Amino acid sequence: MAKRIMGGECRLFIDQYGNRFDASSVRELRGKIGRGGSRVSKMYRDKASGTVHCGYVVGEHWLTAYARVEVPA
């Protein structure tokens, strides 16, 4: 079974080049990046409240995670 990402919800990831990827597992994210996505590590950001997990580094891509939000019409 593939490891679920940050709570198991489908997330939007945007890399440093502006490319967008939707994924709900690390395996799915690696597959969408394709070539060069062999190495995966977590990416962290320092905040005033402490260090937080904010995305992943997959190969050459630094991907920041964003949660999906539904706004009623």
Side-chain angles (χ1 to χ4, degrees), residues 13-70:
F13 292 89
I14 302 178
D15 69 5
Q16 73 270 30
Y17 306 114
N19 299 317
R20 297 171 184 224
F21 303 93
D22 290 321
S24 57
S25 69
V26 175
R27 179 180 293 165
E28 184 180 354
L29 183 60
R30 275 180 67 193
K32 288 187 176 190
I33 289 176
R35 201 192 235 182
S38 60
R39 185 174 184 161
V40 178
S41 58
K42 290 183 178 180
M43 186 167 68
Y44 296 92
R45 177 174 292 141
D46 290 329
K47 295 179 79 175
S49 59
T51 304
V52 294
H53 175 207
C54 64
Y56 291 92
V57 178
V58 182
E60 302 276 325
H61 297 267
W62 293 60
L63 299 133
T64 302
Y66 295 93
R68 293 189 175 271
V69 177
E70 292 185 15

